[in-house]
PDB file of all heavy atoms in Angstrom:
ATOM      1  N   HIS A 220      16.391  -2.995  15.616  1.00 92.00           N
ATOM      2  CA  HIS A 220      16.916  -4.225  16.230  1.00 92.00           C
ATOM      3  C   HIS A 220      16.952  -5.327  15.151  1.00 92.00           C
ATOM      4  O   HIS A 220      16.193  -5.275  14.168  1.00 92.00           O
ATOM      5  CB  HIS A 220      15.942  -4.665  17.302  1.00 92.00           C
ATOM      6  CG  HIS A 220      15.838  -3.738  18.515  1.00 92.00           C
ATOM      7  ND1 HIS A 220      14.951  -2.721  18.444  1.00 92.00           N
ATOM      8  CD2 HIS A 220      16.476  -3.606  19.629  1.00 92.00           C
ATOM      9  CE1 HIS A 220      15.070  -1.990  19.540  1.00 92.00           C
ATOM     10  NE2 HIS A 220      15.956  -2.480  20.285  1.00 92.00           N
ATOM     11  N   PRO A 221      17.878  -6.254  15.349  1.00 93.00           N
ATOM     12  CA  PRO A 221      18.070  -7.433  14.364  1.00 93.00           C
ATOM     13  C   PRO A 221      16.690  -8.043  14.095  1.00 93.00           C
ATOM     14  O   PRO A 221      15.894  -8.400  15.030  1.00 93.00           O
ATOM     15  CB  PRO A 221      19.034  -8.351  15.047  1.00 93.00           C
ATOM     16  CG  PRO A 221      19.743  -7.486  15.968  1.00 93.00           C
ATOM     17  CD  PRO A 221      18.790  -6.365  16.518  1.00 93.00           C
ATOM     18  N   ALA A 222      16.397  -8.269  12.798  1.00 95.00           N
ATOM     19  CA  ALA A 222      15.070  -8.897  12.484  1.00 95.00           C
ATOM     20  C   ALA A 222      15.232  -9.549  11.091  1.00 95.00           C
ATOM     21  O   ALA A 222      16.229  -9.202  10.400  1.00 95.00           O
ATOM     22  CB  ALA A 222      14.028  -7.863  12.528  1.00 95.00           C
ATOM     23  N   THR A 223      14.324 -10.418  10.789  1.00 96.00           N
ATOM     24  CA  THR A 223      14.221 -11.007   9.505  1.00 96.00           C
ATOM     25  C   THR A 223      12.816 -10.888   8.993  1.00 96.00           C
ATOM     26  O   THR A 223      11.832 -10.737   9.797  1.00 96.00           O
ATOM     27  CB  THR A 223      14.674 -12.487   9.477  1.00 96.00           C
ATOM     28  OG1 THR A 223      13.766 -13.209  10.391  1.00 96.00           O
ATOM     29  CG2 THR A 223      16.048 -12.600   9.925  1.00 96.00           C
ATOM     30  N   GLY A 224      12.697 -10.859   7.669  1.00 97.00           N
ATOM     31  CA  GLY A 224      11.290 -10.801   7.139  1.00 97.00           C
ATOM     32  C   GLY A 224      11.231 -10.934   5.611  1.00 97.00           C
ATOM     33  O   GLY A 224      12.167 -11.338   4.951  1.00 97.00           O
ATOM     34  N   THR A 225      10.107 -10.466   5.060  1.00 98.00           N
ATOM     35  CA  THR A 225       9.853 -10.539   3.590  1.00 98.00           C
ATOM     36  C   THR A 225       9.732  -9.241   3.053  1.00 98.00           C
ATOM     37  O   THR A 225       9.054  -8.273   3.661  1.00 98.00           O
ATOM     38  CB  THR A 225       8.603 -11.420   3.415  1.00 98.00           C
ATOM     39  OG1 THR A 225       8.826 -12.678   3.879  1.00 98.00           O
ATOM     40  CG2 THR A 225       8.294 -11.512   1.884  1.00 98.00           C
ATOM     41  N   ILE A 226      10.331  -8.956   1.928  1.00 98.00           N
ATOM     42  CA  ILE A 226      10.241  -7.682   1.177  1.00 98.00           C
ATOM     43  C   ILE A 226       9.541  -7.907  -0.194  1.00 98.00           C
ATOM     44  O   ILE A 226       9.818  -8.799  -0.891  1.00 98.00           O
ATOM     45  CB  ILE A 226      11.538  -6.982   0.927  1.00 98.00           C
ATOM     46  CG1 ILE A 226      12.281  -6.803   2.226  1.00 98.00           C
ATOM     47  CG2 ILE A 226      11.376  -5.610   0.204  1.00 98.00           C
ATOM     48  CD1 ILE A 226      13.762  -6.400   2.063  1.00 98.00           C
ATOM     49  N   THR A 227       8.627  -7.040  -0.548  1.00 98.00           N
ATOM     50  CA  THR A 227       7.996  -7.104  -1.913  1.00 98.00           C
ATOM     51  C   THR A 227       8.140  -5.742  -2.539  1.00 98.00           C
ATOM     52  O   THR A 227       7.867  -4.749  -1.961  1.00 98.00           O
ATOM     53  CB  THR A 227       6.437  -7.416  -1.776  1.00 98.00           C
ATOM     54  OG1 THR A 227       6.301  -8.713  -1.169  1.00 98.00           O
ATOM     55  CG2 THR A 227       5.758  -7.402  -3.193  1.00 98.00           C
ATOM     56  N   LEU A 228       8.704  -5.791  -3.730  1.00 98.00           N
ATOM     57  CA  LEU A 228       9.024  -4.513  -4.515  1.00 98.00           C
ATOM     58  C   LEU A 228       7.939  -4.140  -5.478  1.00 98.00           C
ATOM     59  O   LEU A 228       7.194  -5.060  -5.989  1.00 98.00           O
ATOM     60  CB  LEU A 228      10.338  -4.693  -5.195  1.00 98.00           C
ATOM     61  CG  LEU A 228      11.549  -5.046  -4.421  1.00 98.00           C
ATOM     62  CD1 LEU A 228      12.796  -5.290  -5.365  1.00 98.00           C
ATOM     63  CD2 LEU A 228      11.882  -3.913  -3.466  1.00 98.00           C
ATOM     64  N   THR A 229       7.821  -2.820  -5.762  1.00 98.00           N
ATOM     65  CA  THR A 229       7.009  -2.394  -6.808  1.00 98.00           C
ATOM     66  C   THR A 229       7.813  -1.702  -7.854  1.00 98.00           C
ATOM     67  O   THR A 229       8.729  -0.848  -7.596  1.00 98.00           O
ATOM     68  CB  THR A 229       5.936  -1.314  -6.189  1.00 98.00           C
ATOM     69  OG1 THR A 229       5.109  -1.978  -5.309  1.00 98.00           O
ATOM     70  CG2 THR A 229       5.013  -0.754  -7.338  1.00 98.00           C
TER      71      THR A 229
END
Side-chain angles (χ1 to χ4, degrees):
H220 297 85
T223 58
T225 299
I226 304 172
T227 299
L228 302 176
T229 299

